[in-house]
Amino acid sequence: MAELEVAKHGKNVIHLMGKKEHELAHKLREIALEIAIIVFAVSMSIWLHGLSEHHHKQQEVKTFLLGLKGDLEADVRQLDNIKEGYRGFDANYAYLASLDPGRQPDWAKFKEAYAKSDANWYFIPVKSRYEGFLMSGRLTNIENEKLLTAILSLYQMQLPQIQTSEGGWSTRQRKLRDYREDQLEGDDEQSLFRVTTTPKGKRLLRDMNTTPQLYERYQSYIGQSQEIIKMIAEAYPAEKAR
């Protein structure tokens, strides 16, 4: 529509310049008016285009944030389960480390605990949506600076910290696993019990106790996620995560 107006008034300017029946001053006033109309039409077109583009970007931000809210809710549920899982691991390793090599254990309980001691559980966040929005360069379209900072802090700082702590736990478990493989002479319950109750075996089991730092980092991620969820819910109170 604006392009048609510009073309129309552009033709008027050319037409006025060619008229001979009007005085120069009159023609200049007419031309100036037509040029002013053209400038206004162009400016209005640019403003409307910018407004439309901004609206489109904010719709993309809205869709992203509502989806992210659902992703973080899933992450919080996963971390709550993982924390409980690690408490179970701690109790299991503590039981194995407490066994007296001179006393026969409850063999059914022992074998179950031994099998569980090889299990592990790591946090796998739902972050494909975040990574896609980040890689596309659209993350900076989030106009709420506090919310943007919180999201970046969560994924760029807190998540790597969790992965570092989980890596330390994994390294200790690998040492325990390697020791068992080196020392085991069979897979019968007596062999498993012997390697479990050696001084080194008991020390490696005690080392498997989850550090307070890992629990703290899980909880910090949960707290930050809940804060982001709250901010998104306040920004779009009538919407649900998609």
Side-chain angles (χ1 to χ4, degrees):
M1 209 46 199
E3 290 83 356
L4 293 175
E5 286 296 313
V6 170
K8 172 185 171 184
H9 291 284
K11 289 179 181 178
N12 288 344
V13 170
I14 295 172
H15 177 68
L16 287 168
M17 290 177 67
K19 280 188 175 183
K20 297 181 179 179
E21 61 269 24
H22 296 301
E23 295 180 358
L24 179 60
H26 178 78
K27 286 202 293 185
L28 288 175
R29 284 196 300 273
E30 294 274 340
I31 290 170
L33 178 60
E34 295 293 338
I35 290 174
I37 293 172
I38 291 171
V39 170
F40 175 78
V42 170
S43 299
M44 180 62 72
S45 176
I46 293 172
W47 180 76
L48 289 173
H49 177 74
L51 192 65
S52 175
E53 186 175 357
H54 177 264
H55 177 73
H56 175 69
K57 287 180 179 179
Q58 292 312 301
Q59 283 297 115
E60 289 183 333
V61 166
K62 177 181 177 181
T63 300
F64 165 71
L65 289 176
L66 290 173
L68 183 70
K69 179 173 176 285
D71 294 343
L72 293 179
E73 287 169 343
D75 285 348
V76 168
R77 289 193 296 271
Q78 182 188 168
L79 283 171
D80 283 335
N81 290 333
I82 288 175
K83 287 196 302 178
E84 288 304 310
Y86 271 95
R87 290 189 182 99
F89 292 160
D90 289 345
N92 196 60
Y93 286 120
Y95 160 73
L96 291 172
S98 70
L99 292 173
D100 184 344
R103 297 180 60 184
Q104 297 290 300
D106 177 333
W107 289 111
K109 182 179 180 180
F110 167 74
K111 287 190 289 186
E112 182 182 1
Y114 188 95
K116 286 181 179 178
S117 67
D118 203 36
N120 50 49
W121 201 349
Y122 304 112
F123 177 45
I124 304 175
V126 184
K127 61 174 185 170
S128 58
R129 189 191 315 272
Y130 163 77
E131 290 179 341
F133 213 64
L134 175 67
M135 295 301 293
S136 69
R138 291 177 291 172
L139 202 63
T140 52
N141 291 338
I142 298 174
E143 296 179 342
N144 185 328
E145 288 294 330
K146 183 180 178 182
L147 177 56
L148 176 59
T149 300
I151 293 171
L152 288 171
S153 173
L154 183 74
Y155 288 105
Q156 301 299 326
M157 296 179 63
Q158 297 197 31
L159 179 57
Q161 288 176 348
I162 285 177
Q163 292 168 336
T164 298
S165 291
E166 288 182 336
W169 189 92
S170 178
T171 298
R172 295 194 299 275
Q173 188 185 49
R174 187 164 54 250
K175 288 180 180 178
L176 174 63
R177 188 179 294 143
D178 290 345
Y179 173 72
R180 286 172 168 176
E181 289 178 357
D182 288 341
Q183 297 297 315
L184 278 175
E185 298 172 353
D187 58 0
D188 60 283
E189 58 190 26
Q190 290 291 345
S191 295
L192 301 181
F193 184 71
R194 183 190 61 79
V195 76
T196 297
T197 55
T198 62
K200 184 173 182 178
K202 292 169 77 68
R203 177 177 61 78
L204 291 172
L205 285 164
R206 287 192 296 269
D207 288 346
M208 286 305 303
N209 188 54
T210 306
T211 62
Q213 183 189 70
L214 180 54
Y215 285 119
E216 290 168 4
R217 287 178 171 178
Y218 282 150
Q219 191 56 48
S220 179
Y221 194 98
I222 289 172
Q224 182 84 336
S225 295
Q226 290 172 332
E227 181 63 24
I228 293 170
I229 289 167
K230 180 182 177 182
M231 284 192 280
I232 294 173
E234 289 174 350
Y236 309 105
E239 300 288 344
K240 293 182 179 180
R242 298 174 185 177

